[in-house]
Amino acid sequence: MAWYFRQPSAGETTRDPIVGEFFSTDAISGAAEALVREGIQNALDAGTGGQVHVRILLAKESCALSAAQSAEWFTDAWPHIEASGNGLRDAPTRSDVCKFLVFEDFGTTGLKGDVQQAFDEPGNKNSFFYFFRAEGRTGKGESDRGRWGVGKHVFPRSSRVNGVFGLTVRSDDQKRMLMGHIVLKSHKIGGEHWSPDGHLGTRPNGLVLPMESSDQLDQFANTFQIRRTTEPGLSLVVPFLDDEITYESLVRAVVDGYFYPILRGQITVDVESEGQRCSITKESLVNTALDIGGAD
């Protein structure tokens, strides 16, 4: 298990990804709204025909990880996180606690597709490829609600390291796998040039592949309080979470953005934080809306 960044070839175009900056504009009212909107849209699109369930865990204060607890998941990424000119707005230090957010969907397919696909193949619906290896592209159709091509960037955009982990169980082959992704700007470390993208995984033959070791995946799930065991779907972890995302803003974003599908019974959502838990269903929706002042 390691973080892998690539050194560009001589003369290669210097690339500074900016697609995530869309979410810092006035097009959305806040990070919580964007994260809930895009995350639930994609969960509904990945549904298997029954009711979809989403769990959102906000781990701050006592639930945050100490520097020692988070260290092994970032060890060889730190030189890149600390590099000058890497584009991070508020880069953490190695001694910082790691606040994080977990977004899990159930009743969904997970990230399916050939994990060894290295290039875009139009018409091939490889959700694993489009989530971890594509930017500004999607395998979804026009009728789908969410787009992994752009919407997925709300997750790293909410991270101080511009990163996200994805632990998935796939509905077709029941495989469980984990991969991480950090997107920076082109940067230099000790005089050497590095490309923006870093992936956490294994690299047996040049292409970074997801981890499938039960011990590593169990340790990750325990560290980040993931509920998923063998159920198909996707569990995302946003490490070093921005402070602007709060429990109240997440609950409001769910009610305001998904009042109708919740009322129809298409989806239920649990929002959790220190000593707080809100289960939003068609039965509890009206009371939850009244508690937060009603849907806008």
Side-chain angles (χ1 to χ4, degrees):
M1 175 183 73
W3 281 97
Y4 297 97
F5 285 79
R6 185 178 63 84
Q7 291 188 275
S9 302
E12 184 176 326
T13 300
T14 298
R15 175 173 154 265
D16 288 339
I18 60 171
V19 67
E21 293 306 309
F22 167 79
F23 297 102
S24 65
T25 71
D26 292 335
I28 55 173
S29 62
E33 178 191 336
L35 190 150
V36 166
R37 183 186 67 192
E38 299 296 336
I40 294 183
Q41 282 177 348
N42 283 297
L44 288 170
D45 283 340
T48 56
Q51 187 179 72
V52 171
H53 177 64
V54 166
R55 171 184 179 248
I56 305 173
L57 169 66
L58 182 63
K60 293 185 173 182
E61 311 304 333
S62 62
C63 290
L65 302 181
S66 68
Q69 289 173 308
S70 65
E72 69 178 290
W73 299 103
F74 295 94
T75 301
D76 42 11
W78 278 114
H80 300 273
I81 295 170
E82 295 166 338
S84 176
N86 64 10
L88 295 179
R89 303 180 308 279
D90 179 27
T93 68
R94 300 187 192 212
S95 61
D96 283 0
V97 298
C98 179
K99 303 173 185 178
F100 63 94
L101 181 139
V102 177
F103 190 103
E104 303 188 85
D105 57 52
F106 299 86
T108 53
T109 62
L111 295 179
K112 298 194 296 182
D114 182 3
V115 300
Q116 299 203 43
Q117 180 179 327
F119 301 99
D120 190 14
E121 297 176 7
N124 183 3
K125 288 195 173 185
N126 185 335
S127 56
F128 179 89
F129 171 85
Y130 285 111
F131 187 81
F132 282 113
R133 298 196 181 117
E135 181 177 290
R137 296 192 179 194
T138 176
K140 293 191 171 188
E142 293 298 326
S143 62
D144 291 328
R145 302 174 185 86
R147 300 294 185 96
W148 288 125
V150 175
K152 68 180 182 181
H153 287 277
V154 300
F155 291 97
R157 178 63 180 79
S158 300
S159 164
R160 293 168 61 201
V161 298
N162 210 32
V164 64
F165 298 101
L167 188 157
T168 189
V169 177
R170 293 135 64 98
S171 61
D172 52 357
D173 57 17
Q174 287 73 55
K175 286 186 177 181
R176 186 172 65 133
M177 50 188 65
L178 169 68
M179 199 163 180
H181 189 196
I182 287 176
V183 186
L184 307 173
K185 291 185 176 182
S186 298
H187 55 283
K188 291 176 68 175
I189 301 174
E192 295 185 319
H193 294 269
W194 295 88
S195 294
D197 295 283
H199 288 94
L200 176 72
T202 63
R203 192 170 63 180
N205 58 5
L207 180 65
V208 183
L209 300 176
M211 296 174 285
E212 297 187 46
S213 163
S214 293
D215 289 343
Q216 289 177 325
L217 270 61
D218 288 345
Q219 183 178 359
F220 178 84
N222 290 333
T223 298
F224 288 98
Q225 302 180 47
I226 288 173
R227 182 89 36 95
R228 166 167 282 104
T229 53
T230 61
E231 308 94 330
L234 177 62
S235 299
L236 298 174
V237 174
V238 181
F240 294 103
L241 186 70
D242 282 343
D243 284 332
E244 64 181 297
I245 296 179
T246 66
Y247 173 81
E248 292 76 12
S249 66
L250 290 168
V251 173
R252 176 173 289 279
V254 172
V255 172
D256 286 356
Y258 288 95
F259 195 95
Y260 186 60
I262 293 171
L263 200 58
R264 292 187 61 191
Q266 291 177 271
I267 188 167
T268 62
V269 182
D270 288 345
V271 183
E272 307 171 23
S273 190
E274 281 90 352
Q276 297 176 291
R277 182 176 182 275
C278 180
S279 182
I280 308 172
T281 67
K282 63 180 180 180
E283 291 82 13
S284 67
L285 179 62
V286 172
N287 286 337
T288 302
L290 290 172
D291 287 343
I292 62 171
D296 292 337

